[in-house]
Amino acid sequence: MTQTKDPQVSRRNFMKAAIFTIGGVIGGAIGIPAIPYIIGPALKQGDEGWVRLGAVSKVEVNVPTLFKTTIETQTGWISTDEEFSVYVLTENGQDFTSISNVCTHLGCRVRWIPEREGFFCPCHNGVFAKDGSVVSGPPPRPLNRFESKIEDGILFVKRGS
Amino acid sequence: MLAKLGDWLDERFQWRQVWEAIFLRKIPHVNWFYTLGSATLFVATLQGITGILLTFYYVPDPTHAYDSVVYITTQLPMGWFIRGLHHWGASAMIVLVVAHMLRVFFYGAYKYPREMTWITGVFLLLVVVGFGFTGYLLPWDQKAYWATTVGTKIAGVAPFVGDWILRIARGGPELSAVTLARFFGTHVWVLPASLAALIGVHLYLIIRIGISAVPEKDE
């Protein structure tokens, strides 16, 4: 056994430092990966991407037309099929506006009633005009719109925007 | 300032004596085989931490168990690492407790006055094996399912009480959702509580009675 030459670092203090260093490294090796592991799902962005609605020829001029489709959403390890509905409006047959059917008040589904020329929300009597602007009732802002595109006569909307 | 605060706290907690009793106690001149117990304790702690982290996502239900394990391993950041530690740590536990037991056995360290240390150690071994057996089912994959089918069937061949043991272990005649749930409950509640209690007694005895020296050749 060799004696410590430097009297300032005793055997005991060296061991102490070594134990704390190794302990710190091991603690970090587990503690640091635990952080992304726990907060990972919280940082995940919502599903974005283009959702295929259907043939654009289905849309009549000046009448909001409902497109229904199902989209698969993945939450954790469970994937669910969700119904996704969008009203599409065109005034000239060239430019299409995709309007969400979710009421901006509390999230009920609004319905286009042709005879009364408006979107009606069944929950609190919110009424929206053809272009989604608020006519009456509690909704604080117009119906949301989706970014849309047309490829080969098929209409797509961008989800999560 | 910090030293003053430490003194102030120690006057109230009286922890320094405890610290000294645990870490500054006199031990005989020993060799590296004497670290196997501490190594086991370290891995057991690691299993506890990684196990708690796994319960953040794992679901003990036949419809979701496997999917949640796949989610942990492939989707979560560092999930593969946490699960990997728990997976390999489980094997390390078995290896370490057996090696530790062999060291104690061949050095005759179980003799008077340390019989109770040995006996609590025997129960600790059983708890660790129980952890291995119940944990093996939880991923709910083919290997897990059939290993538990076989394992519970082995218990079933015990004379007279075998069928009862099999039914109690499975929660019915067949392996089912009930089996998975009770294995999970045992794995995360019953066994950890038993382990903690037994380790408490085991460590108390090691500190109170002390450890035995390496036996002489003619002993």
Short mmCIF file of all heavy atoms in Angstrom, two decimals, chain A residues 1 12 20 26 29-30 32-34 36-41 44 74-78, chain B residues 24 42 46 49 53-54 56-57 59 64 67-68 71-72 76-79 81-82 85:
data_model
loop_
_atom_site.label_atom_id
_atom_site.label_comp_id
_atom_site.label_asym_id
_atom_site.label_seq_id
_atom_site.Cartn_x
_atom_site.Cartn_y
_atom_site.Cartn_z
N MET A 1 0.83 -1.20 0.00
CA MET A 1 0.00 0.00 0.00
C MET A 1 0.87 1.25 0.00
O MET A 1 1.79 1.37 0.79
CB MET A 1 -0.89 -0.01 1.24
CG MET A 1 -2.19 0.70 1.01
SD MET A 1 -3.28 0.45 2.40
CE MET A 1 -3.71 -1.26 2.18
N ARG A 12 -9.14 9.38 2.67
CA ARG A 12 -10.58 9.51 2.95
C ARG A 12 -11.24 10.52 2.02
O ARG A 12 -12.30 10.26 1.45
CB ARG A 12 -10.77 9.92 4.41
CG ARG A 12 -12.20 10.29 4.75
CD ARG A 12 -12.39 10.31 6.23
NE ARG A 12 -12.17 8.98 6.79
CZ ARG A 12 -13.00 8.39 7.65
NH1 ARG A 12 -14.08 9.01 8.03
NH2 ARG A 12 -12.75 7.20 8.12
N PHE A 20 -18.72 10.55 -4.66
CA PHE A 20 -19.68 11.56 -5.09
C PHE A 20 -19.67 11.74 -6.61
O PHE A 20 -20.71 11.93 -7.22
CB PHE A 20 -19.42 12.89 -4.37
CG PHE A 20 -20.06 12.94 -3.01
CD1 PHE A 20 -19.30 12.79 -1.86
CD2 PHE A 20 -21.43 13.11 -2.89
CE1 PHE A 20 -19.90 12.81 -0.60
CE2 PHE A 20 -22.04 13.13 -1.65
CZ PHE A 20 -21.27 12.98 -0.49
N ILE A 26 -23.83 8.36 -12.20
CA ILE A 26 -24.90 7.36 -12.28
C ILE A 26 -26.27 8.03 -12.12
O ILE A 26 -27.20 7.76 -12.86
CB ILE A 26 -24.70 6.26 -11.21
CG1 ILE A 26 -23.43 5.47 -11.51
CG2 ILE A 26 -25.90 5.32 -11.15
CD1 ILE A 26 -23.02 4.51 -10.41
N ALA A 29 -27.09 9.71 -15.27
CA ALA A 29 -27.38 8.76 -16.35
C ALA A 29 -28.83 8.29 -16.31
O ALA A 29 -29.40 7.91 -17.32
CB ALA A 29 -26.43 7.57 -16.28
N ILE A 30 -29.41 8.29 -15.11
CA ILE A 30 -30.82 7.88 -15.00
C ILE A 30 -31.72 9.10 -14.93
O ILE A 30 -32.76 9.15 -15.57
CB ILE A 30 -31.03 7.00 -13.75
CG1 ILE A 30 -30.18 5.75 -13.88
CG2 ILE A 30 -32.50 6.60 -13.61
CD1 ILE A 30 -29.85 5.14 -12.55
N ILE A 32 -31.30 12.26 -16.03
CA ILE A 32 -31.45 13.09 -17.22
C ILE A 32 -32.36 12.43 -18.27
O ILE A 32 -33.28 13.07 -18.74
CB ILE A 32 -30.05 13.49 -17.78
CG1 ILE A 32 -29.37 14.41 -16.76
CG2 ILE A 32 -30.18 14.19 -19.13
CD1 ILE A 32 -27.90 14.66 -17.02
N PRO A 33 -32.17 11.13 -18.61
CA PRO A 33 -33.12 10.52 -19.55
C PRO A 33 -34.56 10.50 -19.04
O PRO A 33 -35.50 10.48 -19.83
CB PRO A 33 -32.60 9.08 -19.71
CG PRO A 33 -31.17 9.16 -19.35
CD PRO A 33 -31.07 10.22 -18.28
N ALA A 34 -34.73 10.53 -17.71
CA ALA A 34 -36.10 10.48 -17.17
C ALA A 34 -36.91 11.71 -17.55
O ALA A 34 -38.13 11.64 -17.68
CB ALA A 34 -36.06 10.33 -15.65
N PRO A 36 -36.89 13.74 -20.55
CA PRO A 36 -37.62 13.62 -21.83
C PRO A 36 -38.62 12.47 -21.82
O PRO A 36 -39.67 12.56 -22.47
CB PRO A 36 -36.51 13.37 -22.85
CG PRO A 36 -35.33 12.94 -22.07
CD PRO A 36 -35.45 13.62 -20.75
N TYR A 37 -38.31 11.42 -21.07
CA TYR A 37 -39.22 10.28 -20.99
C TYR A 37 -40.58 10.71 -20.44
O TYR A 37 -41.62 10.30 -20.94
CB TYR A 37 -38.58 9.22 -20.09
CG TYR A 37 -39.45 8.02 -19.78
CD1 TYR A 37 -39.56 6.98 -20.69
CD2 TYR A 37 -40.14 7.92 -18.57
CE1 TYR A 37 -40.35 5.87 -20.41
CE2 TYR A 37 -40.92 6.83 -18.28
CZ TYR A 37 -41.02 5.79 -19.20
OH TYR A 37 -41.80 4.70 -18.91
N ILE A 38 -40.55 11.57 -19.42
CA ILE A 38 -41.81 11.99 -18.80
C ILE A 38 -42.51 13.09 -19.60
O ILE A 38 -43.70 13.03 -19.83
CB ILE A 38 -41.56 12.44 -17.34
CG1 ILE A 38 -41.18 11.23 -16.48
CG2 ILE A 38 -42.80 13.12 -16.77
CD1 ILE A 38 -40.65 11.59 -15.11
N ILE A 39 -41.73 14.07 -20.06
CA ILE A 39 -42.40 15.21 -20.72
C ILE A 39 -42.57 15.00 -22.22
O ILE A 39 -43.27 15.78 -22.87
CB ILE A 39 -41.67 16.55 -20.45
CG1 ILE A 39 -40.30 16.58 -21.12
CG2 ILE A 39 -41.57 16.84 -18.96
CD1 ILE A 39 -39.65 17.94 -21.06
N GLY A 40 -41.98 13.93 -22.78
CA GLY A 40 -42.04 13.67 -24.22
C GLY A 40 -43.42 13.82 -24.84
O GLY A 40 -43.61 14.62 -25.76
N PRO A 41 -44.43 13.08 -24.33
CA PRO A 41 -45.75 13.16 -24.96
C PRO A 41 -46.37 14.55 -24.91
O PRO A 41 -47.17 14.91 -25.77
CB PRO A 41 -46.59 12.17 -24.15
CG PRO A 41 -45.60 11.28 -23.49
CD PRO A 41 -44.38 12.11 -23.24
N LYS A 44 -45.22 16.64 -27.88
CA LYS A 44 -45.57 16.18 -29.22
C LYS A 44 -46.60 17.11 -29.85
O LYS A 44 -47.61 17.45 -29.24
CB LYS A 44 -46.14 14.76 -29.13
CG LYS A 44 -45.86 13.96 -30.37
CD LYS A 44 -46.44 12.57 -30.26
CE LYS A 44 -46.70 12.03 -31.64
NZ LYS A 44 -47.91 11.25 -31.74
N GLN A 74 -53.91 9.08 -33.23
CA GLN A 74 -53.09 8.25 -32.37
C GLN A 74 -52.82 9.02 -31.09
O GLN A 74 -52.17 10.06 -31.10
CB GLN A 74 -51.77 7.92 -33.10
CG GLN A 74 -50.89 6.95 -32.38
CD GLN A 74 -51.34 5.52 -32.59
OE1 GLN A 74 -52.00 5.20 -33.58
NE2 GLN A 74 -50.99 4.63 -31.67
N THR A 75 -53.37 8.54 -29.97
CA THR A 75 -53.03 9.14 -28.69
C THR A 75 -52.36 8.07 -27.85
O THR A 75 -52.99 7.08 -27.49
CB THR A 75 -54.28 9.66 -27.95
OG1 THR A 75 -55.28 8.67 -28.03
CG2 THR A 75 -54.78 10.95 -28.54
N GLY A 76 -51.08 8.28 -27.56
CA GLY A 76 -50.32 7.25 -26.84
C GLY A 76 -50.33 5.97 -27.63
O GLY A 76 -49.97 5.95 -28.81
N TRP A 77 -50.80 4.88 -27.01
CA TRP A 77 -50.82 3.58 -27.67
C TRP A 77 -52.20 3.23 -28.21
O TRP A 77 -52.46 2.14 -28.63
CB TRP A 77 -50.34 2.50 -26.69
CG TRP A 77 -51.04 2.62 -25.37
CD1 TRP A 77 -52.19 2.01 -25.01
CD2 TRP A 77 -50.63 3.42 -24.26
NE1 TRP A 77 -52.54 2.40 -23.75
CE2 TRP A 77 -51.61 3.26 -23.26
CE3 TRP A 77 -49.54 4.27 -24.02
CZ2 TRP A 77 -51.52 3.91 -22.02
CZ3 TRP A 77 -49.47 4.92 -22.80
CH2 TRP A 77 -50.44 4.73 -21.82
N ILE A 78 -53.12 4.20 -28.18
CA ILE A 78 -54.47 3.92 -28.64
C ILE A 78 -54.76 4.73 -29.89
O ILE A 78 -54.56 5.95 -29.91
CB ILE A 78 -55.51 4.26 -27.54
CG1 ILE A 78 -55.27 3.36 -26.32
CG2 ILE A 78 -56.93 4.08 -28.07
CD1 ILE A 78 -56.11 3.70 -25.13
N LEU B 24 -19.60 4.86 8.73
CA LEU B 24 -18.25 4.92 9.31
C LEU B 24 -18.02 3.80 10.33
O LEU B 24 -17.19 3.90 11.20
CB LEU B 24 -18.02 6.30 9.95
CG LEU B 24 -18.28 7.50 9.02
CD1 LEU B 24 -18.02 8.80 9.76
CD2 LEU B 24 -17.44 7.43 7.77
N PHE B 42 -27.95 -1.75 -4.91
CA PHE B 42 -27.90 -0.71 -5.94
C PHE B 42 -28.84 -1.05 -7.09
O PHE B 42 -29.64 -0.20 -7.53
CB PHE B 42 -26.46 -0.54 -6.45
CG PHE B 42 -26.36 0.35 -7.65
CD1 PHE B 42 -26.44 1.72 -7.51
CD2 PHE B 42 -26.21 -0.19 -8.91
CE1 PHE B 42 -26.37 2.55 -8.62
CE2 PHE B 42 -26.14 0.63 -10.03
CZ PHE B 42 -26.22 2.00 -9.88
N LEU B 46 -32.25 0.75 -8.54
CA LEU B 46 -32.41 1.07 -9.96
C LEU B 46 -33.72 0.49 -10.50
O LEU B 46 -34.45 1.15 -11.25
CB LEU B 46 -31.21 0.48 -10.71
CG LEU B 46 -30.99 0.96 -12.14
CD1 LEU B 46 -30.59 2.42 -12.14
CD2 LEU B 46 -29.90 0.13 -12.79
N ILE B 49 -36.60 2.66 -9.34
CA ILE B 49 -36.74 3.92 -10.07
C ILE B 49 -37.27 3.69 -11.48
O ILE B 49 -38.25 4.30 -11.90
CB ILE B 49 -35.38 4.67 -10.10
CG1 ILE B 49 -34.97 5.08 -8.68
CG2 ILE B 49 -35.46 5.90 -11.00
CD1 ILE B 49 -33.52 5.51 -8.56
N LEU B 53 -40.95 4.67 -13.25
CA LEU B 53 -41.05 5.39 -14.52
C LEU B 53 -41.89 4.60 -15.53
O LEU B 53 -42.67 5.18 -16.29
CB LEU B 53 -39.65 5.67 -15.08
CG LEU B 53 -38.85 6.74 -14.34
CD1 LEU B 53 -37.42 6.79 -14.86
CD2 LEU B 53 -39.51 8.11 -14.48
N LEU B 54 -41.74 3.28 -15.55
CA LEU B 54 -42.51 2.47 -16.51
C LEU B 54 -44.01 2.56 -16.24
O LEU B 54 -44.81 2.54 -17.17
CB LEU B 54 -42.04 1.01 -16.48
CG LEU B 54 -40.67 0.75 -17.10
CD1 LEU B 54 -40.24 -0.68 -16.87
CD2 LEU B 54 -40.68 1.05 -18.59
N PHE B 56 -45.67 5.01 -15.58
CA PHE B 56 -46.25 6.22 -16.17
C PHE B 56 -47.02 5.88 -17.45
O PHE B 56 -47.94 6.58 -17.82
CB PHE B 56 -45.14 7.23 -16.51
CG PHE B 56 -44.78 8.14 -15.37
CD1 PHE B 56 -44.44 7.62 -14.14
CD2 PHE B 56 -44.77 9.51 -15.54
CE1 PHE B 56 -44.09 8.46 -13.09
CE2 PHE B 56 -44.43 10.36 -14.50
CZ PHE B 56 -44.09 9.83 -13.27
N TYR B 57 -46.58 4.82 -18.14
CA TYR B 57 -47.18 4.52 -19.45
C TYR B 57 -47.76 3.11 -19.54
O TYR B 57 -48.68 2.88 -20.31
CB TYR B 57 -46.13 4.70 -20.56
CG TYR B 57 -45.61 6.11 -20.62
CD1 TYR B 57 -44.36 6.45 -20.12
CD2 TYR B 57 -46.39 7.13 -21.16
CE1 TYR B 57 -43.91 7.76 -20.16
CE2 TYR B 57 -45.94 8.44 -21.21
CZ TYR B 57 -44.70 8.75 -20.71
OH TYR B 57 -44.25 10.03 -20.74
N VAL B 59 -49.90 -0.16 -19.12
CA VAL B 59 -51.29 -0.43 -18.75
C VAL B 59 -51.47 -1.94 -18.58
O VAL B 59 -51.26 -2.69 -19.53
CB VAL B 59 -52.25 0.08 -19.84
CG1 VAL B 59 -53.69 -0.19 -19.44
CG2 VAL B 59 -52.04 1.56 -20.07
N HIS B 64 -54.32 -3.46 -24.05
CA HIS B 64 -53.36 -2.37 -24.22
C HIS B 64 -51.96 -2.67 -23.70
O HIS B 64 -51.05 -1.90 -23.99
CB HIS B 64 -53.87 -1.11 -23.53
CG HIS B 64 -55.18 -0.63 -24.07
ND1 HIS B 64 -55.37 -0.36 -25.40
CD2 HIS B 64 -56.38 -0.41 -23.48
CE1 HIS B 64 -56.62 0.02 -25.59
NE2 HIS B 64 -57.25 0.00 -24.44
N ASP B 67 -49.32 -3.06 -26.47
CA ASP B 67 -49.20 -1.79 -27.21
C ASP B 67 -48.51 -0.72 -26.38
O ASP B 67 -47.73 0.08 -26.90
CB ASP B 67 -50.59 -1.28 -27.63
CG ASP B 67 -51.19 -2.15 -28.72
OD1 ASP B 67 -50.42 -2.85 -29.41
OD2 ASP B 67 -52.42 -2.14 -28.87
N SER B 68 -48.83 -0.68 -25.08
CA SER B 68 -48.19 0.34 -24.25
C SER B 68 -46.69 0.06 -24.09
O SER B 68 -45.89 0.98 -24.04
CB SER B 68 -48.88 0.45 -22.89
OG SER B 68 -48.72 -0.71 -22.12
N TYR B 71 -45.15 1.16 -27.26
CA TYR B 71 -45.13 2.63 -27.24
C TYR B 71 -43.93 3.14 -26.43
O TYR B 71 -43.20 4.02 -26.88
CB TYR B 71 -46.44 3.14 -26.64
CG TYR B 71 -46.51 4.63 -26.47
CD1 TYR B 71 -46.73 5.47 -27.55
CD2 TYR B 71 -46.38 5.20 -25.20
CE1 TYR B 71 -46.81 6.84 -27.38
CE2 TYR B 71 -46.46 6.57 -25.02
CZ TYR B 71 -46.67 7.39 -26.12
OH TYR B 71 -46.74 8.75 -25.95
N ILE B 72 -43.72 2.55 -25.26
CA ILE B 72 -42.59 2.95 -24.41
C ILE B 72 -41.28 2.73 -25.16
O ILE B 72 -40.41 3.60 -25.19
CB ILE B 72 -42.59 2.15 -23.09
CG1 ILE B 72 -43.77 2.54 -22.21
CG2 ILE B 72 -41.27 2.35 -22.33
CD1 ILE B 72 -44.02 1.62 -21.03
N LEU B 76 -41.51 6.74 -27.20
CA LEU B 76 -41.11 7.71 -26.20
C LEU B 76 -39.62 8.03 -26.28
O LEU B 76 -38.81 7.12 -26.51
CB LEU B 76 -41.39 7.16 -24.81
CG LEU B 76 -42.82 7.24 -24.31
CD1 LEU B 76 -42.92 6.49 -23.00
CD2 LEU B 76 -43.26 8.67 -24.14
N PRO B 77 -39.25 9.30 -26.06
CA PRO B 77 -37.82 9.59 -25.98
C PRO B 77 -37.21 8.90 -24.75
O PRO B 77 -37.75 9.01 -23.66
CB PRO B 77 -37.78 11.12 -25.85
CG PRO B 77 -39.15 11.54 -25.45
CD PRO B 77 -40.10 10.50 -25.94
N MET B 78 -36.15 8.18 -24.97
CA MET B 78 -35.43 7.43 -23.92
C MET B 78 -36.25 6.28 -23.31
O MET B 78 -35.81 5.67 -22.34
CB MET B 78 -34.94 8.35 -22.78
CG MET B 78 -34.01 9.47 -23.19
SD MET B 78 -32.65 8.94 -24.24
CE MET B 78 -31.61 8.10 -23.05
N GLY B 79 -37.41 6.00 -23.89
CA GLY B 79 -38.22 4.90 -23.37
C GLY B 79 -37.49 3.57 -23.47
O GLY B 79 -37.52 2.76 -22.53
N PHE B 81 -34.43 3.13 -23.26
CA PHE B 81 -33.36 3.11 -22.26
C PHE B 81 -33.91 2.73 -20.88
O PHE B 81 -33.36 1.87 -20.19
CB PHE B 81 -32.70 4.50 -22.22
CG PHE B 81 -31.58 4.62 -21.23
CD1 PHE B 81 -30.38 3.96 -21.44
CD2 PHE B 81 -31.72 5.40 -20.09
CE1 PHE B 81 -29.34 4.07 -20.52
CE2 PHE B 81 -30.69 5.52 -19.18
CZ PHE B 81 -29.49 4.86 -19.40
N ILE B 82 -35.03 3.35 -20.50
CA ILE B 82 -35.65 3.07 -19.20
C ILE B 82 -36.09 1.62 -19.14
O ILE B 82 -35.82 0.90 -18.18
CB ILE B 82 -36.85 4.01 -18.97
CG1 ILE B 82 -36.46 5.48 -19.09
CG2 ILE B 82 -37.52 3.71 -17.62
CD1 ILE B 82 -35.61 6.03 -17.98
N LEU B 85 -33.06 -0.74 -19.06
CA LEU B 85 -32.45 -0.84 -17.72
C LEU B 85 -33.25 -1.79 -16.84
O LEU B 85 -32.69 -2.62 -16.11
CB LEU B 85 -32.40 0.54 -17.06
CG LEU B 85 -31.28 1.50 -17.44
CD1 LEU B 85 -31.45 2.82 -16.71
CD2 LEU B 85 -29.91 0.90 -17.13
#
